[in-house]
Amino acid sequence: MSTVKAYAAPSATEALIPTTVERRNVGAHDVLIEVKFAGICHSDIHTVRGDWGPQSYPLTPGHEITGIVTEVGSAVTKHAVGDRVGVGCMVNSCRECVHCLAGEEQYCLAGNTGTYGAVDRDGTTTQGGYSTHVVVTEDFVLRIPAGLELDVAAPLLCAGITTFSPLNHWGAGPGKKVAVVGLGGLGHMAVKIAHAMGAEVTVLSQTLKKHDDGLKLGADHFHATSDPETFSRLAGSFDLIINTVSAAIDINAYLQLLTLNGALVNVGAPAEPLPVQAFSLINSRRSFAGSMIGGIRETQEMLDFCAQYGIGSDIEMISAGQINDAYERVLASDVRYRFVIDTATL
């Protein structure tokens, strides 16, 4: 085992503090990564504060990780020392179930192993990317293509794939009208990716204060959901709606914005239930669905797609000492559009 510097939450109610975490020795199929950048995801906040259930503390979050390979195991074939790589929301899965064999490890029937807050193969609790180094099995390490800088690529490992996967699955592209609910860390990536796919993109945000940003990111239209006329004016307009908001919203009102056979896909994960009326779905044969991240294969496809179209996350770089302030600013929607920690400051 080795000891590395990190930031961790001592409990659900305390601020994150500097500490150390242990990393296992590099096994035959493992890769040691010197972490350069780690994005701050809203999921980090939900998890460390116990919104999604009790956790084991101290807990080091972070599943938007980019860095450089510094050591590889004797049997590693996919990565080499010096490679630019990334690690996303999971670091292992059963590899045997029907979903894993189909390249959908995120839906592993045994449950994938999360990058932090999960039980690792050695029985310990996984600790995430707010640290100087991580050890990950080679099959769950992604290649960062040339042309993508490591800092703007870090949030792609969660925010990028979380929005790319449903846009890809539900066929966003030319001739399709896509709406994105919320213009935050997830939402701004959904706009960029849907635009690059060729869809007509509309942002639905509470106010118009991010209107100019939305258009610069690639949106064709921008509407305020605080204006009641928005819902009547846009009724039956969209083939696909991606809801990125991690808070309770009136799902039934948004379902009315779908056209025949349209789908509303939830990628935000609020702690509260989202009630749906049957007739909101029955009328116009609408669907209300959810989507997680993507599998390793699709995540690599997303990274290659972003490199091809010059897509990175819009970031605000912070030092480790600013993590707790950044958490409060995320909750206040005061970030454009993803905080990224410079792990050199650990």
Side-chain angles (χ1 to χ4, degrees):
M1 303 286 284
S2 60
T3 300
V4 304
K5 294 179 180 179
Y7 254 66
S11 73
T13 58
E14 295 177 84
L16 278 73
I17 59 172
T19 185
T20 58
V21 295
E22 289 189 331
R23 299 301 189 192
R24 67 175 182 265
N25 292 328
V26 176
H29 294 278
D30 286 338
V31 174
L32 173 64
I33 302 166
E34 180 183 358
V35 180
K36 295 296 186 181
F37 302 101
I40 291 180
C41 177
H42 205 148
S43 299
D44 300 346
I45 303 172
H46 280 304
T47 303
V48 301
R49 296 190 175 182
D51 294 341
W52 294 341
Q55 301 295 320
S56 177
Y57 298 95
L59 181 60
T60 294
H63 57 206
E64 298 180 340
I65 303 166
T66 55
I68 305 295
V69 175
T70 58
E71 183 182 347
V72 297
S74 59
V76 169
T77 60
K78 297 181 179 180
H79 308 284
V81 172
D83 283 357
R84 297 166 2 109
V85 296
V87 178
C89 300
M90 54 185 173
V91 292
N92 219 327
S93 70
C94 80
R95 322 281 191 99
E96 298 175 348
C97 72
V98 62
H99 295 162
C100 286
L101 294 176
E104 301 277 12
E105 301 94 345
Q106 74 275 29
Y107 301 124
C108 175
L109 292 175
N112 71 67
T113 304
T115 305
Y116 63 86
V119 178
D120 209 345
R121 66 192 192 195
D122 59 3
T124 61
T125 299
T126 56
Q127 303 290 351
Y130 297 9
S131 60
T132 58
H133 296 78
V134 292
V135 177
V136 181
T137 183
E138 65 171 325
D139 291 338
F140 285 76
V141 176
L142 287 305
R143 174 182 52 83
I144 304 298
L148 271 181
E149 297 298 328
L150 292 180
D151 53 358
V152 300
L156 300 182
L157 276 304
C158 178
I161 186 57
T162 296
T163 51
F164 179 90
S165 188
L167 289 167
N168 189 34
H169 180 79
W170 273 273
K176 293 293 184 71
K177 294 184 177 182
V178 174
V180 176
V181 182
L183 193 64
L186 289 174
H188 93 287
M189 289 309 311
V191 170
K192 288 188 177 191
I193 292 170
H195 173 73
M197 288 178 168
E200 181 180 335
V201 184
T202 298
V203 173
L204 301 174
S205 186
Q206 284 186 308
T207 70
L208 296 177
K209 69 179 183 179
K210 295 181 180 179
H211 174 273
D212 292 345
D213 279 6
L215 299 187
K216 289 177 183 176
L217 292 167
D220 300 285
H221 316 285
F222 198 109
H223 296 276
T225 56
S226 56
D227 180 358
E229 290 188 8
T230 292
F231 289 91
S232 57
R233 187 184 311 120
L234 299 178
S237 294
F238 302 109
D239 301 290
L240 177 63
I241 299 174
I242 305 294
N243 176 28
T244 72
V245 178
S246 288
I249 64 171
D250 185 355
I251 288 294
N252 297 288
Y254 287 88
L255 286 168
Q256 303 306 314
L257 302 181
L258 292 171
T259 188
L260 179 66
N261 296 323
L264 191 163
V265 183
N266 224 67
V267 295
E272 307 89 346
L274 298 173
V276 176
Q277 297 172 2
F279 280 101
S280 296
L281 302 175
I282 292 170
N283 292 334
S284 297
R285 202 161 53 206
R286 303 180 181 107
S287 299
F288 178 43
S291 180
M292 213 168 165
I293 53 173
I296 295 300
R297 181 179 59 213
E298 188 177 38
T299 304
Q300 188 64 61
E301 179 185 348
M302 176 275 304
L303 289 169
D304 294 340
F305 177 91
C306 288
Q308 178 183 352
Y309 288 95
I311 297 173
S313 182
D314 286 20
I315 67 169
E316 182 175 335
M317 189 72 68
I318 63 168
S319 67
Q322 296 173 288
I323 290 173
N324 292 299
D325 289 338
Y327 273 27
E328 296 306 318
R329 287 182 56 192
V330 169
L331 294 173
S333 299
D334 179 26
V335 55
R336 283 183 167 80
Y337 280 92
R338 204 68 155 184
F339 286 116
V340 171
I341 304 163
D342 179 357
T343 58
T345 62
L346 287 168

